[in-house]
PDB file of all heavy atoms in Angstrom:
ATOM      1  N   PRO A   1      68.239-329.912  43.973  1.00 88.00           N
ATOM      2  CA  PRO A   1      69.428-330.619  43.487  1.00 88.00           C
ATOM      3  C   PRO A   1      70.207-329.763  42.514  1.00 88.00           C
ATOM      4  O   PRO A   1      69.624-329.072  41.682  1.00 88.00           O
ATOM      5  CB  PRO A   1      68.842-331.849  42.791  1.00 88.00           C
ATOM      6  CG  PRO A   1      67.523-331.373  42.295  1.00 88.00           C
ATOM      7  CD  PRO A   1      67.006-330.409  43.344  1.00 88.00           C
ATOM      8  N   ARG A   2      71.521-329.793  42.615  1.00 87.00           N
ATOM      9  CA  ARG A   2      72.325-329.082  41.635  1.00 87.00           C
ATOM     10  C   ARG A   2      72.092-329.673  40.244  1.00 87.00           C
ATOM     11  O   ARG A   2      71.981-328.963  39.260  1.00 87.00           O
ATOM     12  CB  ARG A   2      73.813-329.182  41.995  1.00 87.00           C
ATOM     13  CG  ARG A   2      74.726-328.501  40.971  1.00 87.00           C
ATOM     14  CD  ARG A   2      76.174-328.611  41.376  1.00 87.00           C
ATOM     15  NE  ARG A   2      77.031-327.917  40.443  1.00 87.00           N
ATOM     16  CZ  ARG A   2      78.347-327.865  40.536  1.00 87.00           C
ATOM     17  NH1 ARG A   2      78.954-328.484  41.540  1.00 87.00           N
ATOM     18  NH2 ARG A   2      79.070-327.223  39.648  1.00 87.00           N
ATOM     19  N   VAL A   3      72.043-330.992  40.191  1.00 90.00           N
ATOM     20  CA  VAL A   3      71.739-331.694  38.951  1.00 90.00           C
ATOM     21  C   VAL A   3      70.362-332.331  39.100  1.00 90.00           C
ATOM     22  O   VAL A   3      70.166-333.192  39.949  1.00 90.00           O
ATOM     23  CB  VAL A   3      72.792-332.780  38.645  1.00 90.00           C
ATOM     24  CG1 VAL A   3      72.401-333.561  37.394  1.00 90.00           C
ATOM     25  CG2 VAL A   3      74.168-332.155  38.463  1.00 90.00           C
ATOM     26  N   LEU A   4      69.428-331.892  38.284  1.00 92.00           N
ATOM     27  CA  LEU A   4      68.071-332.398  38.380  1.00 92.00           C
ATOM     28  C   LEU A   4      67.841-333.514  37.368  1.00 92.00           C
ATOM     29  O   LEU A   4      68.236-333.407  36.211  1.00 92.00           O
ATOM     30  CB  LEU A   4      67.079-331.262  38.122  1.00 92.00           C
ATOM     31  CG  LEU A   4      65.604-331.660  38.073  1.00 92.00           C
ATOM     32  CD1 LEU A   4      64.761-330.692  38.861  1.00 92.00           C
ATOM     33  CD2 LEU A   4      65.111-331.750  36.630  1.00 92.00           C
ATOM     34  N   VAL A   5      67.217-334.600  37.835  1.00 93.00           N
ATOM     35  CA  VAL A   5      66.790-335.696  36.966  1.00 93.00           C
ATOM     36  C   VAL A   5      65.366-336.045  37.398  1.00 93.00           C
ATOM     37  O   VAL A   5      65.164-336.550  38.496  1.00 93.00           O
ATOM     38  CB  VAL A   5      67.699-336.939  37.101  1.00 93.00           C
ATOM     39  CG1 VAL A   5      67.247-338.022  36.139  1.00 93.00           C
ATOM     40  CG2 VAL A   5      69.162-336.578  36.847  1.00 93.00           C
ATOM     41  N   ALA A   6      64.387-335.764  36.556  1.00 91.00           N
ATOM     42  CA  ALA A   6      63.003-335.959  36.979  1.00 91.00           C
ATOM     43  C   ALA A   6      62.074-336.033  35.779  1.00 91.00           C
ATOM     44  O   ALA A   6      62.412-335.580  34.684  1.00 91.00           O
ATOM     45  CB  ALA A   6      62.560-334.824  37.903  1.00 91.00           C
ATOM     46  N   ARG A   7      60.886-336.615  36.020  1.00 90.00           N
ATOM     47  CA  ARG A   7      59.848-336.588  35.008  1.00 90.00           C
ATOM     48  C   ARG A   7      59.418-335.144  34.748  1.00 90.00           C
ATOM     49  O   ARG A   7      59.497-334.295  35.638  1.00 90.00           O
ATOM     50  CB  ARG A   7      58.640-337.395  35.467  1.00 90.00           C
ATOM     51  CG  ARG A   7      58.899-338.884  35.654  1.00 90.00           C
ATOM     52  CD  ARG A   7      57.619-339.596  36.011  1.00 90.00           C
ATOM     53  NE  ARG A   7      57.847-341.012  36.292  1.00 90.00           N
ATOM     54  CZ  ARG A   7      56.882-341.914  36.398  1.00 90.00           C
ATOM     55  NH1 ARG A   7      55.624-341.531  36.274  1.00 90.00           N
ATOM     56  NH2 ARG A   7      57.161-343.178  36.656  1.00 90.00           N
ATOM     57  N   ALA A   8      58.943-334.888  33.544  1.00 89.00           N
ATOM     58  CA  ALA A   8      58.564-333.529  33.172  1.00 89.00           C
ATOM     59  C   ALA A   8      57.480-332.967  34.092  1.00 89.00           C
ATOM     60  O   ALA A   8      57.519-331.796  34.456  1.00 89.00           O
ATOM     61  CB  ALA A   8      58.102-333.494  31.718  1.00 89.00           C
ATOM     62  N   ASN A   9      56.517-333.811  34.503  1.00 89.00           N
ATOM     63  CA  ASN A   9      55.443-333.301  35.353  1.00 89.00           C
ATOM     64  C   ASN A   9      55.957-332.919  36.740  1.00 89.00           C
ATOM     65  O   ASN A   9      55.457-332.004  37.381  1.00 89.00           O
ATOM     66  CB  ASN A   9      54.313-334.329  35.470  1.00 89.00           C
ATOM     67  CG  ASN A   9      54.740-335.601  36.179  1.00 89.00           C
ATOM     68  OD1 ASN A   9      55.845-336.091  35.974  1.00 89.00           O
ATOM     69  ND2 ASN A   9      53.861-336.153  36.994  1.00 89.00           N
ATOM     70  N   VAL A  10      57.000-333.619  37.211  1.00 90.00           N
ATOM     71  CA  VAL A  10      57.614-333.268  38.504  1.00 90.00           C
ATOM     72  C   VAL A  10      58.360-331.944  38.393  1.00 90.00           C
ATOM     73  O   VAL A  10      58.269-331.088  39.269  1.00 90.00           O
ATOM     74  CB  VAL A  10      58.557-334.388  38.971  1.00 90.00           C
ATOM     75  CG1 VAL A  10      59.347-333.956  40.205  1.00 90.00           C
ATOM     76  CG2 VAL A  10      57.776-335.653  39.274  1.00 90.00           C
ATOM     77  N   VAL A  11      59.086-331.774  37.298  1.00 91.00           N
ATOM     78  CA  VAL A  11      59.822-330.518  37.095  1.00 91.00           C
ATOM     79  C   VAL A  11      58.868-329.335  37.104  1.00 91.00           C
ATOM     80  O   VAL A  11      59.149-328.290  37.700  1.00 91.00           O
ATOM     81  CB  VAL A  11      60.621-330.559  35.774  1.00 91.00           C
ATOM     82  CG1 VAL A  11      61.341-329.232  35.539  1.00 91.00           C
ATOM     83  CG2 VAL A  11      61.636-331.707  35.788  1.00 91.00           C
ATOM     84  N   ARG A  12      57.736-329.488  36.453  1.00 91.00           N
ATOM     85  CA  ARG A  12      56.758-328.398  36.404  1.00 91.00           C
ATOM     86  C   ARG A  12      56.331-327.985  37.819  1.00 91.00           C
ATOM     87  O   ARG A  12      56.242-326.797  38.141  1.00 91.00           O
ATOM     88  CB  ARG A  12      55.531-328.816  35.586  1.00 91.00           C
ATOM     89  CG  ARG A  12      54.520-327.699  35.367  1.00 91.00           C
ATOM     90  CD  ARG A  12      53.331-328.202  34.558  1.00 91.00           C
ATOM     91  NE  ARG A  12      53.701-328.595  33.224  1.00 91.00           N
ATOM     92  CZ  ARG A  12      53.808-327.745  32.201  1.00 91.00           C
ATOM     93  NH1 ARG A  12      53.583-326.455  32.388  1.00 91.00           N
ATOM     94  NH2 ARG A  12      54.124-328.187  31.001  1.00 91.00           N
ATOM     95  N   LYS A  13      56.076-328.963  38.681  1.00 91.00           N
ATOM     96  CA  LYS A  13      55.648-328.667  40.046  1.00 91.00           C
ATOM     97  C   LYS A  13      56.764-328.017  40.861  1.00 91.00           C
ATOM     98  O   LYS A  13      56.540-327.070  41.614  1.00 91.00           O
ATOM     99  CB  LYS A  13      55.173-329.954  40.719  1.00 91.00           C
ATOM    100  CG  LYS A  13      53.911-330.540  40.096  1.00 91.00           C
ATOM    101  CD  LYS A  13      53.576-331.894  40.697  1.00 91.00           C
ATOM    102  CE  LYS A  13      52.350-332.508  40.044  1.00 91.00           C
ATOM    103  NZ  LYS A  13      52.050-333.867  40.554  1.00 91.00           N
ATOM    104  N   VAL A  14      57.985-328.539  40.711  1.00 91.00           N
ATOM    105  CA  VAL A  14      59.112-327.997  41.475  1.00 91.00           C
ATOM    106  C   VAL A  14      59.415-326.559  41.035  1.00 91.00           C
ATOM    107  O   VAL A  14      59.662-325.686  41.869  1.00 91.00           O
ATOM    108  CB  VAL A  14      60.358-328.884  41.306  1.00 91.00           C
ATOM    109  CG1 VAL A  14      61.576-328.236  41.954  1.00 91.00           C
ATOM    110  CG2 VAL A  14      60.119-330.262  41.927  1.00 91.00           C
ATOM    111  N   VAL A  15      59.398-326.319  39.732  1.00 92.00           N
ATOM    112  CA  VAL A  15      59.652-324.963  39.223  1.00 92.00           C
ATOM    113  C   VAL A  15      58.609-323.988  39.758  1.00 92.00           C
ATOM    114  O   VAL A  15      58.931-322.859  40.138  1.00 92.00           O
ATOM    115  CB  VAL A  15      59.668-324.974  37.679  1.00 92.00           C
ATOM    116  CG1 VAL A  15      59.652-323.542  37.129  1.00 92.00           C
ATOM    117  CG2 VAL A  15      60.891-325.716  37.176  1.00 92.00           C
ATOM    118  N   LYS A  16      57.364-324.423  39.811  1.00 92.00           N
ATOM    119  CA  LYS A  16      56.288-323.567  40.312  1.00 92.00           C
ATOM    120  C   LYS A  16      56.517-323.201  41.770  1.00 92.00           C
ATOM    121  O   LYS A  16      56.432-322.023  42.156  1.00 92.00           O
ATOM    122  CB  LYS A  16      54.943-324.269  40.142  1.00 92.00           C
ATOM    123  CG  LYS A  16      53.753-323.460  40.637  1.00 92.00           C
ATOM    124  CD  LYS A  16      52.443-324.212  40.412  1.00 92.00           C
ATOM    125  CE  LYS A  16      51.244-323.410  40.917  1.00 92.00           C
ATOM    126  NZ  LYS A  16      49.968-324.137  40.679  1.00 92.00           N
ATOM    127  N   VAL A  17      56.819-324.207  42.595  1.00 91.00           N
ATOM    128  CA  VAL A  17      56.998-323.962  44.028  1.00 91.00           C
ATOM    129  C   VAL A  17      58.278-323.160  44.299  1.00 91.00           C
ATOM    130  O   VAL A  17      58.261-322.162  45.037  1.00 91.00           O
ATOM    131  CB  VAL A  17      57.036-325.300  44.799  1.00 91.00           C
ATOM    132  CG1 VAL A  17      57.382-325.061  46.264  1.00 91.00           C
ATOM    133  CG2 VAL A  17      55.693-326.005  44.695  1.00 91.00           C
ATOM    134  N   ALA A  18      59.400-323.586  43.714  1.00 92.00           N
ATOM    135  CA  ALA A  18      60.671-322.905  43.964  1.00 92.00           C
ATOM    136  C   ALA A  18      60.656-321.485  43.410  1.00 92.00           C
ATOM    137  O   ALA A  18      61.196-320.551  44.032  1.00 92.00           O
ATOM    138  CB  ALA A  18      61.824-323.698  43.347  1.00 92.00           C
ATOM    139  N   GLY A  19      60.041-321.298  42.247  1.00 93.00           N
ATOM    140  CA  GLY A  19      59.947-319.951  41.681  1.00 93.00           C
ATOM    141  C   GLY A  19      59.139-319.019  42.554  1.00 93.00           C
ATOM    142  O   GLY A  19      59.489-317.852  42.743  1.00 93.00           O
ATOM    143  N   LYS A  20      58.056-319.531  43.122  1.00 93.00           N
ATOM    144  CA  LYS A  20      57.220-318.735  44.025  1.00 93.00           C
ATOM    145  C   LYS A  20      58.011-318.318  45.259  1.00 93.00           C
ATOM    146  O   LYS A  20      57.933-317.168  45.710  1.00 93.00           O
ATOM    147  CB  LYS A  20      55.987-319.544  44.425  1.00 93.00           C
ATOM    148  CG  LYS A  20      55.049-318.808  45.378  1.00 93.00           C
ATOM    149  CD  LYS A  20      53.827-319.674  45.711  1.00 93.00           C
ATOM    150  CE  LYS A  20      52.897-318.973  46.685  1.00 93.00           C
ATOM    151  NZ  LYS A  20      51.706-319.816  46.998  1.00 93.00           N
ATOM    152  N   GLU A  21      58.791-319.258  45.801  1.00 94.00           N
ATOM    153  CA  GLU A  21      59.592-318.942  46.986  1.00 94.00           C
ATOM    154  C   GLU A  21      60.702-317.940  46.664  1.00 94.00           C
ATOM    155  O   GLU A  21      61.054-317.108  47.501  1.00 94.00           O
ATOM    156  CB  GLU A  21      60.183-320.225  47.562  1.00 94.00           C
ATOM    157  CG  GLU A  21      59.150-321.184  48.127  1.00 94.00           C
ATOM    158  CD  GLU A  21      58.332-320.557  49.252  1.00 94.00           C
ATOM    159  OE1 GLU A  21      58.915-319.822  50.077  1.00 94.00           O
ATOM    160  OE2 GLU A  21      57.109-320.792  49.301  1.00 94.00           O
ATOM    161  N   ALA A  22      61.253-318.018  45.454  1.00 94.00           N
ATOM    162  CA  ALA A  22      62.286-317.064  45.041  1.00 94.00           C
ATOM    163  C   ALA A  22      61.715-315.652  44.991  1.00 94.00           C
ATOM    164  O   ALA A  22      62.333-314.690  45.471  1.00 94.00           O
ATOM    165  CB  ALA A  22      62.855-317.467  43.689  1.00 94.00           C
ATOM    166  N   ARG A  23      60.527-315.520  44.423  1.00 95.00           N
ATOM    167  CA  ARG A  23      59.899-314.206  44.332  1.00 95.00           C
ATOM    168  C   ARG A  23      59.523-313.678  45.710  1.00 95.00           C
ATOM    169  O   ARG A  23      59.656-312.485  46.000  1.00 95.00           O
ATOM    170  CB  ARG A  23      58.670-314.284  43.417  1.00 95.00           C
ATOM    171  CG  ARG A  23      59.017-314.557  41.963  1.00 95.00           C
ATOM    172  CD  ARG A  23      57.809-314.486  41.053  1.00 95.00           C
ATOM    173  NE  ARG A  23      56.865-315.567  41.296  1.00 95.00           N
ATOM    174  CZ  ARG A  23      56.954-316.767  40.756  1.00 95.00           C
ATOM    175  NH1 ARG A  23      57.944-317.063  39.949  1.00 95.00           N
ATOM    176  NH2 ARG A  23      56.038-317.697  41.003  1.00 95.00           N
ATOM    177  N   ARG A  24      59.087-314.569  46.602  1.00 95.00           N
ATOM    178  CA  ARG A  24      58.757-314.164  47.969  1.00 95.00           C
ATOM    179  C   ARG A  24      60.006-313.655  48.686  1.00 95.00           C
ATOM    180  O   ARG A  24      59.963-312.662  49.415  1.00 95.00           O
ATOM    181  CB  ARG A  24      58.153-315.330  48.726  1.00 95.00           C
ATOM    182  CG  ARG A  24      57.834-315.022  50.179  1.00 95.00           C
ATOM    183  CD  ARG A  24      57.232-316.228  50.876  1.00 95.00           C
ATOM    184  NE  ARG A  24      55.944-316.592  50.289  1.00 95.00           N
ATOM    185  CZ  ARG A  24      55.269-317.680  50.606  1.00 95.00           C
ATOM    186  NH1 ARG A  24      55.753-318.542  51.488  1.00 95.00           N
ATOM    187  NH2 ARG A  24      54.098-317.924  50.038  1.00 95.00           N
TER     188      ARG A  24
END
């Protein structure tokens, strides 16, 4: 989402997955 609205624990998981894909 361009604008993210989520619980902190969800953000942590999304950042982990999306960051990994960015590096790949």
Side-chain angles (χ1 to χ4, degrees):
R2 178 179 183 181
V3 176
L4 175 135
V5 182
R7 296 184 184 192
N9 65 320
V10 172
V11 178
R12 186 180 295 276
K13 294 173 182 177
V14 173
V15 169
K16 180 179 180 179
V17 173
K20 180 179 179 180
E21 294 301 320
R23 293 186 292 275
R24 177 180 296 173

